[in-house]
Amino acid sequence: VMMRPTGHLSLSSKLRLMIVSTAGAALVVASVLYVTSEVMNLRHDLAQHVLTLAESVADNVGALPGTDATLARTMLQSIQVDPDVRSVELFDAQGRSVSSIAFGAPGAPIGQLEPRAADAAAQDAPPVRFDGFTSVLIQVPVTAGGARGSHIQVIAELAQLYTQLKRYLELMALALSAAWLVAIYLANRLQRVICAPINELLEVAQNVRTSNRFTLRAQKLSDDEMGRLVDGFNGMLAEIERRDLSLRVYQNDLEKMVQERTVRLDGAVTEAREAVDRAEAANRAKSEFLARMSHEIRTPMNAVLGMAELLRISNALDERQRRYAVTIHQSGTALLGIINDILDFSKMEVGKLELEVVPFNIRDVVEDVIETLAERAHSKGLELMCDIPDPKGTAVLGDAKRLRQVLINLVGNAVKFTERGEVRVVVQFKPHDLLNPGISFEVIDTGIGIRAENCSTIFESFVQEDSSTTRQYGGTGLGLAISKQLVELMGGTIGVSSEPGTGSRFHFSVALTPDPNGSAEPQDTSVLRDMRLLLVDDNANNRRILRQQLCGWGARVTEAASGRQALGILDSAFGGQFDAFILDTRMPDHDGSEVLAAVRRRSEFANVPALMIGPVLASDAPQDTPDRHVAWLNKPVRQAQLHAALRSLVAHDLNATRRLQVISTAALAQIRQGKRKALTIPRLLLVEDNPVNQEVALAILQELGIRAVCAWDGEEALQRLAAGRFDVVLMDCHMPKLDGYATTRQLREMETLSGDARTAVIALTANALSGDAELCFAAGMDGYLSKPFSLDELYVTLKPYDHGAAADSATVEHAMPALVKAAPKAVRCAPAATGSPLDEQTLKQIRALRKPGGPDLLKKIVDLYLANSRTLIGALREALAGNDATGAQNAAHSLKSSSANVGAKLLADLCAKLETGAQEKDLGSCQAQFEQLLAEHERVVQALTAQTAAA
């Protein structure tokens, strides 16, 4: 707000200014009115004086006889006695000017006016008219003598008015000055009457403000408004004093209350801290208890399951005992699943479950889950499918283990609660969805369904659709609760939609970061491009998924929903119209085998390759079919398996294509029944970093009549391959510096650049996993052999490369990769009856490799094993202590293969489990298994020492 111009003045100055201004304004107004009145009266008097003079002249002119102009002029000149007259003129009765005289200023000469006619309107005007302030016009009629009817007009300039006005103004100024002086004096005197009590009141207020003494009082000097103001001010001070007193009393009481509450609050804080400490201690104790429980429960459970599995596959049991072992294994697996659920749920409750971020491939995770549950689904006659329409974007960063756990829970539930139909896992990528970005997963089944009112509570702990499901299907009710918490930990949401009797759709989405350094495994689709395929499957979803994959590789697909429809298509087809058939082995009218038999009876399709796809439990899949143009795949079909199988089927020349060989049981039986001949392979390179494995392989090769050259790692192998030509390379897949896959890829590049002939590479691996064959195939290897291998198995593998005789076509099948034809060899175990940690059959084979008169091969291998295994045990211990999962995986892998070669099969199994745990970054379970591994290793060392001492 803008301050007034007088806002900075004091109250006394304002009073003075008010009094002086008011008095001055009044005096000015009065003086102006007085002077104006006097001037106007003076002007009127002067005009009346001129009028009287003019009337006198008019009377004189009227007394003249006739209209003598000369006499009239003389009479008119007499008016000059008044100095204010400026002109005089005589008009006759007709209004004509008879005579006129103009006077200048006083003392000026008289002039003669020209005769003119009088204004007719002027004759009727009043006798006195003012023109301006000082000019006046006077008309006087001439009423006597010969000039009757005429009149005299006089013009006067009242100059005396200005002289009088000046004198009046001087007097007014003098009077105003005197009056203002008197007003100033009076204002100075009178303002004290008002300002003195105000100043005193202001001084009291100032003292109260500075001293905070509300006992001070202002002195009352009058009973007027000022006195009432003083009374109000004193009353206000009294009220403030009273309230201040009450406030001090309340403040004292409040301070006491604060002190008391502070004491109580300090006690409460101390108790709270103690409670927090107790809670943290309890939390730590709970976490430690969970860790101990995880170790104490899982360790014996793993032993129970492992021994039950070994007992289940043992040949020493009859059918009834085997059923008992299977029941034990199944019950133990279910119990371990429940224990794992409870432990995971407890970890999440105390916030100890942490997610890891590692690169992985979504397709691999989903296909692993599907493959894990395939046997259970197929045993119920269900179709289990993996539907990932988009082949891109599957390489991501996240927690693959927890994602796998969620999928296993959902898919396992779907299989459990579905009696007929199918279970399908659908994965969709939604990078552009602003409301729900990331990757969505759906598990769709055709099971019993869930009532709508139960869909909102199905994810709560210990909740199932109804109590009868627990009795009928079993379970803890924790699976979905754990899945919900895991999905939310991964930044996603989970839900369900279902209709009783129709099926359920569980869906969840997680925000997984794309892996910038990852991509899907490159697949060479040139062989499959424009390939014409006949796809026969009675399940529409299966056909759609397979068609998407095949069309994505550039193939042209014709579909048939049944065997009968497929045969109808072939009836109208011509030879060469189809490059290959894909047949479902289980169809209602004509299964795949019947369709294939009918196809083979037609000469135009007799040699068309056929890929048979059936469930895991299909008993109609011949493992040793004489048809070299047929390959077998187990459902659910992995994309890489389908690609590898089709490539194998359409490739016919062993030396021109990169195909894996498979040792069939018929070929092994033929070799064992006949007499084995020495092989002629002049140049063979053995690439093996483990000394035990190398020694065993060299002994077996020597028994076959082959002298091999050794390389300890991939780099040394490449140097030897660059220096000279080899017929065959036995390549270990897992080596520390440059593994077998990378070594083979570099070898193929060298051959391409140099134009050299292709060198046969046989893969040696101790993993025995289905994915190893795919890796070998992609790296450019030609064969696949699982460690430990027997002399007969190596003989069959190397027989095609024998320079002494042509390869026996019955010995080696070139139809498909190892993973396609049959599952890898089952892990063997020591006979349960002996109780020995060593497999006597393996030791017997090693002893049989000793040449007469030669060194003790068993002792040499055992000595190498004892030294190497202790080194690997130390490396494994250091890796686990340093949380080095990769180091632990490598050490366990090497110890696994060398242990299997000396017959320590149970130790090899433990190494395999620890390797798997390290690969999944589950170092907690690895630590628990390590203790068991140490105990078993000591048993193996004692047994091997006893064996060499007895020899």
Side-chain angles (χ1 to χ4, degrees):
V1 179
M2 184 176 295
M3 185 177 291
R4 295 179 180 178
T6 58
H8 63 283
L9 298 178
S10 63
L11 182 61
S12 59
S13 299
K14 291 179 181 178
L15 287 173
R16 293 191 192 98
L17 181 60
M18 183 177 63
I19 293 173
V20 171
S21 299
T22 303
L27 288 174
V28 168
V29 171
S31 299
V32 168
L33 292 176
Y34 174 74
V35 170
T36 301
S37 177
E38 289 298 320
V39 169
M40 297 302 293
N41 290 334
L42 177 61
R43 190 178 74 159
H44 182 268
D45 291 343
L46 290 176
Q48 289 297 323
H49 176 70
V50 174
L51 176 63
T52 301
L53 184 59
E55 288 176 347
S56 176
V57 171
D59 290 339
N60 291 333
V61 171
L64 293 176
T67 56
D68 189 351
T70 302
L71 292 175
R73 181 177 181 80
T74 302
M75 293 304 295
L76 292 176
Q77 286 180 348
S78 64
I79 203 170
Q80 192 179 6
V81 295
D82 192 338
D84 293 331
V85 177
R86 293 290 177 265
S87 67
V88 61
E89 192 170 2
L90 175 63
F91 294 91
D92 58 13
Q94 286 75 28
R96 295 188 299 270
S97 176
V98 178
S99 177
S100 62
I101 303 174
F103 306 101
I110 301 175
Q112 177 67 39
L113 296 176
E114 293 293 333
R116 60 187 179 86
D119 189 1
Q123 295 180 5
D124 298 329
V128 179
R129 287 188 303 163
F130 289 97
D131 185 11
F133 181 66
T134 57
S135 297
V136 62
L137 175 64
I138 298 175
Q139 290 183 351
V140 179
V142 177
T143 59
R148 184 175 304 276
S150 61
H151 65 277
I152 295 174
Q153 179 175 293
V154 180
I155 298 174
E157 187 70 31
L158 307 179
Q160 299 179 50
L161 283 175
Y162 290 106
T163 302
Q164 291 297 327
L165 179 61
K166 180 180 179 181
R167 187 164 58 85
Y168 287 154
L169 290 176
E170 290 174 350
L171 291 175
M172 185 179 69
L174 181 62
L176 286 175
S177 300
W180 272 337
L181 291 174
V182 173
I184 291 172
Y185 172 76
L186 293 176
N188 287 333
R189 298 289 295 179
L190 294 175
Q191 59 89 20
R192 295 176 184 174
V193 177
I194 298 175
C195 291
I198 292 178
N199 289 333
E200 182 180 353
L201 184 63
L202 181 62
E203 183 178 0
V204 173
Q206 186 71 17
N207 291 335
V208 170
R209 186 180 66 83
T210 56
S211 64
N212 287 328
R213 290 188 301 153
F214 298 105
T215 57
L216 297 178
R217 295 294 183 269
Q219 185 178 1
K220 184 178 179 181
L221 301 177
S222 62
D223 290 330
D224 55 3
E225 288 84 355
M226 197 64 213
R228 290 196 294 275
L229 179 61
V230 170
D231 289 338
F233 181 77
N234 290 337
M236 181 184 67
L237 290 179
E239 180 66 19
I240 292 175
E241 182 182 10
R242 184 184 64 78
R243 293 189 179 183
D244 183 62
L245 180 61
S246 299
L247 184 61
R248 285 199 298 270
V249 173
Y250 180 75
Q251 183 178 3
N252 291 334
D253 295 340
L254 185 61
E255 288 178 353
K256 292 180 181 179
M257 293 173 61
V258 169
Q259 289 177 355
E260 294 175 357
R261 293 188 178 182
T262 301
V263 172
R264 290 198 298 269
L265 183 59
D266 290 341
V269 168
T270 302
E271 293 178 358
R273 287 176 179 172
E274 293 176 354
V276 169
D277 292 340
R278 289 194 300 270
E280 290 178 351
N283 196 19
R284 286 193 298 271
K286 186 175 183 180
S287 301
E288 293 172 359
F289 172 75
L290 287 175
R292 288 195 302 271
M293 288 297 294
S294 176
H295 174 73
E296 297 298 332
I297 295 177
R298 284 174 172 161
T299 298
M301 282 304 301
N302 286 328
V304 170
L305 291 176
M307 297 307 296
E309 175 66 15
L310 296 176
L311 188 61
R312 183 173 65 89
I313 64 176
S314 173
N315 295 325
L317 301 181
D318 57 26
E319 188 60 30
R320 181 174 58 87
Q321 292 169 334
R322 183 169 287 104
R323 287 200 306 272
Y324 294 164
V326 170
T327 303
I328 294 172
H329 186 268
Q330 292 176 346
S331 301
T333 302
L335 178 59
L336 184 59
I338 294 173
I339 292 171
N340 289 336
D341 283 348
I342 295 173
L343 291 176
D344 285 342
F345 186 75
S346 301
K347 284 182 181 179
M348 284 186 282
E349 274 194 330
V350 298
K352 293 298 182 180
L353 188 64
E354 297 180 356
L355 299 177
E356 62 180 6
V357 179
V358 296
F360 69 95
N361 192 287
I362 292 178
R363 180 178 291 277
D364 292 341
V365 171
V366 177
E367 289 182 343
D368 287 345
V369 171
I370 295 295
E371 195 171 51
T372 301
L373 299 170
E375 183 177 358
R376 191 191 310 174
H378 292 158
S379 66
K380 300 177 68 174
L382 303 177
E383 290 281 358
L384 192 56
M385 292 169 280
C386 172
D387 188 359
I388 306 180
D390 190 358
K392 299 179 181 179
T394 57
V396 295
L397 298 174
D399 195 328
K401 179 180 177 182
R402 296 306 175 185
L403 178 61
R404 182 183 290 107
Q405 184 176 353
V406 174
L407 287 172
I408 285 178
N409 276 334
L410 297 181
V411 179
N413 279 348
V415 172
K416 180 196 299 185
F417 296 110
T418 303
E419 296 300 330
R420 62 181 62 86
E422 65 183 35
V423 175
R424 183 160 48 99
V425 180
V426 183
V427 181
Q428 293 181 338
F429 302 89
K430 304 183 295 181
H432 304 297
D433 191 345
L434 298 179
L435 296 178
N436 192 15
I439 303 173
S440 69
F441 298 82
E442 296 180 354
V443 178
I444 306 170
D445 64 60
T446 57
I448 60 176
I450 305 171
R451 290 191 296 269
E453 61 269 19
N454 294 332
C455 288
S456 59
T457 60
I458 197 68
F459 293 101
E460 296 179 5
S461 303
F462 307 104
V463 171
Q464 287 192 340
E465 211 275 331
D466 60 34
S467 59
S468 63
T469 60
T470 304
R471 293 192 299 269
Q472 182 178 356
Y473 296 100
T476 61
L478 286 176
L480 293 179
I482 293 173
S483 299
K484 180 176 184 295
Q485 295 189 42
L486 289 176
V487 169
E488 291 174 350
L489 277 176
M490 290 186 284
T493 56
I494 189 171
V496 61
S497 58
S498 180
E499 183 177 347
T502 302
S504 302
R505 172 182 167 270
F506 284 84
H507 55 87
F508 69 94
S509 61
V510 291
L512 297 174
T513 306
D515 184 6
N517 300 321
S519 61
E521 285 294 329
Q523 292 176 327
D524 183 9
T525 60
S526 58
V527 178
L528 307 181
R529 189 172 294 114
D530 294 328
M531 186 176 181
R532 296 161 300 180
L533 300 173
L534 175 61
L535 173 61
V536 186
D537 196 316
D538 63 307
N539 188 285
N541 283 325
N542 259 335
R543 292 199 308 274
R544 177 181 56 80
I545 295 171
L546 289 173
R547 183 183 67 249
Q548 287 177 349
Q549 294 178 351
L550 296 170
C551 293
W553 294 329
R556 291 180 290 175
V557 181
T558 301
E559 296 183 39
S562 65
R564 190 183 303 278
Q565 183 180 359
L567 293 176
I569 292 174
L570 293 178
D571 288 338
S572 58
F574 54 87
Q577 181 173 343
F578 294 107
D579 298 316
F581 303 137
I582 301 178
L583 306 175
D584 184 12
T585 61
R586 292 293 181 89
M587 291 183 291
D589 53 355
H590 291 75
D591 62 19
S593 299
E594 294 173 350
V595 174
L596 180 61
V599 168
R600 289 294 182 249
R601 287 193 293 269
R602 307 182 185 199
S603 59
E604 65 272 25
F605 301 118
N607 294 322
V608 176
L611 179 60
M612 309 297 291
I613 301 177
V616 173
L617 301 180
S619 59
D620 54 349
Q623 298 299 313
D624 299 302
T625 174
D627 192 343
R628 295 177 54 186
H629 301 287
V630 177
W632 295 82
L633 278 181
N634 287 331
K635 288 185 178 181
V637 180
R638 299 178 75 105
Q639 186 186 63
Q641 293 178 355
L642 179 63
H643 183 269
L646 289 175
R647 286 196 60 191
S648 262
L649 282 174
V650 299
H652 302 290
D653 187 358
L654 178 63
N655 295 323
T657 58
R658 294 177 292 171
R659 289 176 292 117
L660 295 175
Q661 302 168 350
V662 172
I663 304 169
S664 68
T665 55
L668 285 177
Q670 181 180 356
I671 294 299
R672 288 163 184 162
Q673 291 172 2
K675 186 176 181 181
R676 187 171 52 245
K677 299 179 182 180
L679 298 177
T680 304
I681 301 178
R683 297 279 291 171
L684 185 143
L685 177 63
L686 173 63
V687 187
E688 175 64 69
D689 66 310
N690 188 291
V692 177
N693 297 343
Q694 189 181 104
E695 191 66 31
V696 173
L698 287 174
I700 295 177
L701 289 170
Q702 186 177 4
E703 180 68 18
L704 295 176
I706 302 172
R707 298 183 63 86
V709 178
C710 294
W712 289 98
D713 54 43
E715 295 177 353
E716 183 181 355
L718 290 175
Q719 293 174 2
R720 292 186 178 275
L721 287 166
R725 175 72 181 170
F726 287 89
D727 300 302
V728 180
V729 178
L730 296 179
M731 182 75 69
D732 183 22
C733 291
H734 298 276
M735 292 181 290
K737 293 182 180 180
L738 194 66
D739 63 18
Y741 307 119
T743 304
T744 305
R745 282 192 289 267
Q746 293 190 26
L747 171 62
R748 298 311 183 205
E749 292 175 2
M750 291 166 50
E751 292 173 344
T752 301
L753 294 175
S754 63
D756 293 338
R758 182 185 180 86
T759 302
V761 178
I762 307 300
L764 302 179
T765 179
N767 264 354
L769 298 177
S770 61
D772 284 349
E774 299 174 22
L775 295 176
C776 296
F777 183 85
M781 298 179 180
D782 301 282
Y784 177 87
L785 193 58
S786 296
K787 293 189 291 188
F789 49 82
S790 67
L791 187 146
D792 292 334
E793 290 171 340
L794 183 59
Y795 176 83
V796 173
T797 302
L798 296 179
K799 181 64 175 174
Y801 309 102
D802 183 15
H803 288 198
D808 184 1
S809 60
T811 302
V812 182
E813 287 186 313
H814 304 303
M816 64 203 72
L819 82 146
V820 177
K821 178 61 181 177
K825 294 179 294 184
V827 178
R828 305 184 191 94
C829 65
T834 63
S836 172
L838 302 177
D839 181 14
E840 289 297 334
Q841 185 64 29
T842 303
L843 296 178
K844 182 178 179 180
Q845 292 175 0
I846 296 176
R847 291 191 185 97
L849 296 174
R850 179 181 181 182
K851 296 296 183 181
D856 189 349
L857 181 61
L858 178 61
K859 185 177 187 306
K860 184 178 180 180
I861 292 176
V862 169
D863 291 342
L864 285 173
Y865 174 78
L866 294 178
N868 185 62
S869 65
R870 290 190 177 97
T871 302
L872 293 175
I873 288 290
L876 185 57
R877 180 183 288 107
E878 292 179 1
L880 292 176
N883 292 327
D884 181 7
T886 302
Q889 180 183 351
N890 293 333
H893 177 83
S894 184
L895 183 60
K896 174 185 66 175
S897 61
S898 59
S899 298
N901 271 323
V902 297
K905 301 303 174 60
L906 182 55
L907 179 59
D909 291 347
L910 294 175
C911 292
K913 293 179 181 178
L914 195 147
E915 179 187 6
T916 303
Q919 187 177 7
E920 296 178 354
K921 303 296 188 297
D922 188 5
L923 295 181
S925 64
C926 291
Q927 191 66 46
Q929 292 166 358
F930 181 66
E931 300 298 329
Q932 188 177 357
L933 186 147
L934 283 179
E936 183 61 23
H937 178 258
E938 288 300 321
R939 293 182 63 218
V940 170
V941 169
Q942 294 175 7
L944 287 175
T945 304
Q947 288 284 344
T948 55

